[in-house]
Amino acid sequence: MSSPPILGGASLFTGFTKLCKGLAVVLVTGHILVQILPPAVNYLALIPARTIPFVWNLITAGYIEQSIYGVVASTLCLLIMGKLLEPVWGSKEFLKFIFIVNFLISICVFITAISLYYITRQENYLYMPISGFQGILAGFLVGIKQIIPDQELSLLRIKAKWFPSFMLLIAIAISFFTAESAAYLPTLIFGTYMSWIYLRYFQRKPETKLRGDPSDDFAFSSFFPESFRSIIDPIASIFHRMLCGRFETSTEAHGDTLGDASLPGSDPIEATRRRERGARALEERLATAPSAEELKKDALENV
């Protein structure tokens, strides 16, 4: 039995959270600021040659949209995806996710730009102003993939577990036809990967006091078609041991096991429960949203 589609009907533009509305105001304010004071881009956007001493642009760049199309798209996506993720994660964790992933994206983009400059000696990599919320939005897609992987987008009939992969595929395809791809493609790629790293290994579960999502359904190979996984899994396992082997050793040393049984949250069972909670939260949110018929009836009564 297939899961009901998500983000469809009248519920698409209702039920936004206060935190997401506040973040939307930040994005709109940042856009207005750089339109009124264009030189502000030099201080708020990520320009690798000026990151030192302007180190704060590692934080501010993610919240500055330079185009009207960017701010409209980012604001709408923030509101829509935020109302799915924030009820499941909680407001504090939702805000923490945005801050950490945004900072990690900026660090990775900065290192990539500097590396490309030394390889190619092209100064445009040093002075291109990079900014925008698209990296965080890519991370939101990874979060949706984690909590409701089998839900479908009502418009395209694509399961949520394929949202990040589908987005990156389109972005990479477009990059072959536009010269501006250097300003957004690294941000999308690092946004996807850094958010997966955070959710896979570091996100704390308040109910279990443990971290991460070790389920096979959220493994790195789950971003790729089934036919590629036999190749990707052995490679990914090497990085898995490098990244969390020390953490796992520390966990065992502190006695986070009970006999031969793992504590709740340290195995895929807890990840499955979290996805079930995400699906329930989504169903409750959709159930409380007014239907199209109700909205039409209210409009007729007001007339």
Side-chain angles (χ1 to χ4, degrees), residues 257-278:
T257 57
L258 185 61
D260 294 329
S262 300
L263 287 175
S266 62
D267 59 74
I269 296 177
E270 178 58 32
T272 301
R273 292 173 179 168
R274 183 168 55 256
R275 284 193 292 273
E276 291 174 351
R277 289 194 298 270

Side-chain angles (χ1 to χ4, degrees), residues 12 22 24 43 82 85 88 91 101 126 134-135 180 183 200 203 211 262 278 292:
L12 180 63
Y43 300 94
L85 293 171
V88 178
S91 298
V101 172
L126 293 180
Q134 63 270 11
E180 290 77 23
R200 177 72 167 174
Q203 187 183 51
R211 298 175 183 268
S262 300

Side-chain angles (χ1 to χ4, degrees), residues 8-15 83 284-296 298:
S11 63
L12 180 63
F13 298 105
T14 60
K83 72 176 182 177
E284 292 172 358
R285 181 166 290 275
L286 294 179
T288 57
S291 64
E293 290 77 8
E294 291 173 340
L295 293 175
K296 184 177 180 180
D298 292 340

Side-chain angles (χ1 to χ4, degrees), residues 34-73:
V34 297
Q35 297 304 308
I36 297 176
L37 300 172
V41 173
N42 297 327
Y43 300 94
L44 299 177
L46 175 59
I47 302 177
R50 298 174 179 174
T51 298
I52 300 176
F54 303 151
V55 292
W56 59 80
N57 63 33
L58 292 172
I59 297 175
T60 59
Y63 310 106
I64 300 299
E65 290 288 354
Q66 299 181 49
S67 71
I68 184 64
Y69 305 105
V71 72
V72 170

Side-chain angles (χ1 to χ4, degrees), residues 2-44:
S2 60
S3 301
I6 63 174
L7 303 181
S11 63
L12 180 63
F13 298 105
T14 60
F16 303 136
T17 67
K18 292 182 179 179
L19 177 58
C20 288
K21 291 177 182 178
L23 291 170
V25 171
V26 172
L27 294 181
V28 173
T29 303
H31 173 71
I32 294 174
L33 176 63
V34 297
Q35 297 304 308
I36 297 176
L37 300 172
V41 173
N42 297 327
Y43 300 94
L44 299 177

Side-chain angles (χ1 to χ4, degrees), residues 29-275:
T29 303
H31 173 71
I32 294 174
L33 176 63
V34 297
Q35 297 304 308
I36 297 176
L37 300 172
V41 173
N42 297 327
Y43 300 94
L44 299 177
L46 175 59
I47 302 177
R50 298 174 179 174
T51 298
I52 300 176
F54 303 151
V55 292
W56 59 80
N57 63 33
L58 292 172
I59 297 175
T60 59
Y63 310 106
I64 300 299
E65 290 288 354
Q66 299 181 49
S67 71
I68 184 64
Y69 305 105
V71 72
V72 170
S74 293
T75 300
L76 288 176
C77 291
L78 164 64
L79 292 172
I80 293 170
M81 290 192 281
K83 72 176 182 177
L84 298 178
L85 293 171
E86 187 183 342
V88 178
W89 290 349
S91 298
K92 183 178 179 180
E93 176 58 34
F94 183 74
L95 195 60
K96 179 181 176 183
F97 173 87
I98 292 175
F99 180 82
I100 291 177
V101 172
N102 175 63
F103 182 70
L104 292 176
I105 291 170
S106 296
I107 292 290
C108 292
V109 170
F110 173 76
I111 294 174
T112 301
I114 296 297
S115 301
L116 289 173
Y117 166 72
Y118 280 110
I119 293 172
T120 65
R121 293 296 174 178
Q122 296 183 20
E123 292 189 353
N124 62 304
Y125 290 116
L126 293 180
Y127 294 98
M128 177 184 298
I130 302 172
S131 66
F133 201 66
Q134 63 270 11
I136 300 298
L137 297 178
F140 286 169
L141 291 179
V142 177
I144 292 173
K145 166 189 170 70
Q146 180 193 37
I147 64 173
I148 46 174
D150 294 321
Q151 299 287 331
E152 291 183 342
L153 181 65
S154 59
L155 299 177
L156 301 177
R157 295 294 177 181
I158 298 175
K159 288 188 176 182
K161 63 182 179 180
W162 296 117
F163 285 0
S165 306
F166 188 66
M167 175 273 299
L168 284 179
L169 185 63
I170 293 177
I172 292 172
I174 293 176
S175 70
F176 289 103
F177 304 99
T178 174
E180 290 77 23
S181 60
Y184 69 84
L185 188 57
T187 304
L188 292 176
I189 293 174
F190 288 126
T192 301
Y193 188 61
M194 290 297 108
S195 60
W196 176 79
I197 289 287
Y198 175 76
L199 295 173
R200 177 72 167 174
Y201 298 108
F202 299 107
Q203 187 183 51
R204 183 178 291 276
K205 310 299 181 300
E207 65 274 14
T208 62
K209 307 298 184 182
L210 298 177
R211 298 175 183 268
D213 181 351
S215 66
D216 292 337
D217 291 336
F218 198 56
F220 183 70
S221 60
S222 68
F223 288 85
F224 299 87
E226 193 73 33
S227 56
F228 289 89
R229 295 182 186 180
S230 59
I231 301 173
I232 295 171
D233 277 332
I235 300 174
S237 65
I238 297 175
F239 291 95
H240 172 82
R241 288 192 293 269
M242 292 173 57
L243 183 64
C244 65
R246 182 178 179 181
F247 173 76
E248 289 175 345
T249 302
S250 175
T251 300
E252 292 175 1
H254 284 81
D256 285 341
T257 57
L258 185 61
D260 294 329
S262 300
L263 287 175
S266 62
D267 59 74
I269 296 177
E270 178 58 32
T272 301
R273 292 173 179 168
R274 183 168 55 256
R275 284 193 292 273

